[in-house]
């Protein structure tokens, strides 16, 4: 309703906008969502052998400041000795940094109260589990959350944090992990992904 109490049409907004109150006596309008919450950008679901999952500048843009990747119920083709890994690109995926560009440190805590660590002061990729993960049995799924902080900044290093749960190959122990490093192409060090959903979210501030 307008200020006179008469019904009025609300002008359509742009894709992704939300309906926002304009206060008493004024019709609502469509506007960009407020900052602070993550918005879903794309989901990639795989159900067959896939060597890499990549999120490029179609989705990683200046519209958002921070990004989150949620990997849910992922599965891979190789059992013992397999680690999920990632690399970053600054040319939209034409090439990826493979020299000693990455620094990371993480620890997994296992169900038998033992721990395992992964760290590197310079390697060609970053592992995002702190132990080799199982995955060649149908019930051995793993899930991870990868938070990337201001990845398009040209004045600071690309930083990120990782949490997750997975089945370690050493006795099929359940592990949790935490750590940090750098991203955008997700792959296995041996074999392929063959099941799971990979969802990218963006956060405005």
């Amino acid at each position: 309703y307008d200020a006179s109490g008469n019904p009025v049409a609300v002008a359509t907004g742009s894709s992704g906008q939300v309906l926002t109150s304009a206060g008493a006596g004024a019709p609502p309008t469509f506007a960009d969502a407020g900052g602070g919450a993550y918005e879903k950008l794309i989901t990639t679901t795989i159900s067959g052998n896939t060597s890499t999952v990549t999120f490029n500048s179609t989705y990683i843009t200046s519209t958002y400041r921070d990004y989150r990747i949620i990997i849910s119920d992922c599965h891979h083709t190789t059992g013992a000795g397999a680690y999920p890994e990632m690399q970053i690109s600054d040319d939209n995926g034409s090439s990826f940094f493979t020299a000693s560009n990455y620094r990371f440190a993480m620890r997994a805590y296992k169900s038998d109260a033992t721990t395992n660590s992964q760290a590197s002061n310079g390697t060609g990729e970053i592992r995002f589990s702190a132990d080799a993960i199982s995955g060649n049995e149908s019930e051995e799924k793993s899930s991870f959350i990868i938070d990337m902080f201001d990845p398009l900044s040209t004045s600071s290093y690309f930083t990120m944090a990782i949490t997750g749960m997975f089945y370690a190959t050493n006795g099929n122990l359940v592990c949790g992990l935490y750590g940090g490093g750098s991203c955008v192409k997700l792959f296995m060090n041996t074999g392929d992904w063959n099941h799971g959903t990979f969802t990218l979210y963006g956060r405005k501030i």
Side-chain angles (χ1 to χ4, degrees):
Y1 297 88
D2 62 17
S4 301
N6 300 312
V8 294
V10 175
T12 57
S14 302
S15 176
Q17 289 187 320
V18 296
L19 194 62
T20 304
S21 173
T29 59
F30 282 95
D32 292 337
Y38 281 98
E39 300 174 35
K40 177 183 171 182
L41 303 179
I42 184 175
T43 293
T44 298
T45 301
I46 58 174
S47 57
N49 292 6
T50 303
S51 59
T52 64
V53 175
T54 302
F55 298 108
N56 60 25
S57 63
T58 299
Y59 306 102
I60 301 177
T61 70
S62 59
T63 300
Y64 302 93
R65 211 285 294 270
D66 303 318
Y67 290 84
R68 169 171 287 182
I69 299 172
I70 296 181
I71 304 172
S72 179
D73 286 344
C74 69
H75 190 271
H76 64 94
T77 59
T78 306
Y83 287 86
E85 298 181 329
M86 63 187 85
Q87 294 171 333
I88 64 171
S89 168
D90 65 354
D91 58 10
N92 201 31
S94 294
S95 62
F96 288 84
F97 292 109
T98 58
S100 300
N101 299 105
Y102 304 95
R103 309 286 188 272
F104 64 88
M106 61 183 64
R107 179 180 293 271
Y109 192 76
K110 302 181 182 181
S111 59
D112 65 355
T114 62
T115 61
N116 194 65
S117 301
Q118 288 289 332
S120 174
N121 199 34
T123 186
E125 65 285 316
I126 176 173
R127 290 181 174 179
F128 61 93
S129 71
D131 206 332
I133 63 175
S134 297
N136 57 330
E137 300 294 338
S138 60
E139 69 276 10
E140 294 175 340
K141 304 295 197 303
S142 302
S143 299
F144 301 92
I145 298 174
I146 302 169
D147 285 320
M148 301 184 291
F149 308 109
D150 199 9
L152 298 182
S153 172
T154 58
S155 61
S156 60
Y157 289 120
F158 186 8
T159 58
M160 51 181 276
I162 309 161
T163 57
M165 292 293 294
F166 58 96
Y167 289 91
T169 55
N170 182 15
N172 288 333
L173 303 172
V174 178
C175 296
L177 66 87
Y178 50 91
S182 313
C183 165
V184 177
K185 180 175 71 174
L186 312 173
F187 58 98
M188 298 299 300
N189 71 317
T190 177
D192 295 324
W193 303 109
N194 68 353
H195 185 276
T197 61
F198 298 71
T199 303
L200 178 69
Y201 297 85
R203 184 177 78 95
K204 299 177 181 177
I205 61 170

